[in-house]
Each structure stands twice: as structure tokens, then as C-alpha cells.
Amino acid sequence: MEKLLKSAEILAVGAHPDDVDLGCAGTLAKMAEAGHAVGVIDLTAGEMGTRGDKETRLKEAEASAEILGLAFRACFFMPDTLLEKTPENEKILVEAIRTVRPRILMTPLGFDT
């Protein structure tokens, strides 16, 4: 999955390929069905996870994009389990948000309990 970004009204960002699906897929599907352009950015390919290898997870993400009716789904291939708040990572994400120009931005909570 490439980093092909398009304009979208709604953008959801997750660390791993299934995070957005587990967190808000129903909402995204309903928004896409209602005619809104919806995009997803996966920051990593989830290569360190226990839910399949990198290739499997990317194929599942592509299938999910089709099922949800997304305008695009992109993977930034940042290193899994090593995501850090660095100026470089912030710049990458800010540039992506500026490219997509969403009206609604959906992100995970800043903490996990």
C-alpha cells in the first residue's frame, strides 16, 4: 500500500493497519455510504504484531478499504513499536493532514488504559 493521499472530508489515523478498523470502522463506513470522502492513514504496517505478518496485514487493510468505501488508505511504513513524537514524525503527519485537508480528523486517545 502506497502513500497516495487524496482530499477527504474525514480522515482517520491509526498506528497499525487494524486500529482504525477496530476503533471506528462502522462510523467510517456510514460516512462513506452517505457520500462523504473518507481516508485512512496507517502509520506502520504492524510488522511487530501478533496478528499476521506485514504482507497479510497490508492485504487485509486493502480489503478493508474496499469494504468501507474509502477514498484512500495509505501506509506510512514508520517502524512498528518505535513510534515517537519527534519533529520528523510530526512533520510527516502535518504534511499529510495539509494534503488531505479533512473537516473531521479521527485519532486514537493520547493514552491507553
Side-chain angles (χ1 to χ4, degrees):
M1 192 177 329
E2 299 176 19
K3 262 200 319 188
L4 298 175
L5 303 177
K6 299 178 183 178
S7 179
E9 293 174 82
I10 301 163
L11 176 63
V13 179
H16 308 100
D18 56 1
D19 289 353
V20 168
D21 302 86
L22 295 170
C24 60
T27 300
L28 298 181
K30 286 200 171 272
M31 293 289 97
E33 186 178 327
H36 299 282
V38 178
V40 169
I41 294 174
D42 302 313
L43 297 177
T44 76
E47 64 272 15
M48 299 298 289
T50 58
R51 295 185 180 149
D53 60 21
K54 177 179 167 180
E55 290 75 22
T56 300
R57 295 189 81 180
L58 291 173
K59 284 180 188 175
E60 290 172 347
E62 287 178 16
S64 172
E66 187 173 329
I67 292 167
L68 296 176
L70 301 180
F72 72 87
R73 185 161 195 160
C75 183
F76 282 10
F77 296 101
M78 293 177 175
D80 193 16
T81 72
L82 299 172
L83 283 177
E84 295 180 3
K85 185 179 186 248
T86 65
E88 180 180 293
N89 286 345
E90 285 180 6
K91 182 180 179 194
I92 291 168
L93 199 49
V94 166
E95 287 177 0
I97 293 167
R98 286 180 177 160
T99 298
V100 177
R101 301 187 55 82
R103 288 188 15 214
I104 298 171
L105 178 61
M106 302 173 77
T107 64
L109 290 173
F111 61 91
D112 192 358
T113 59

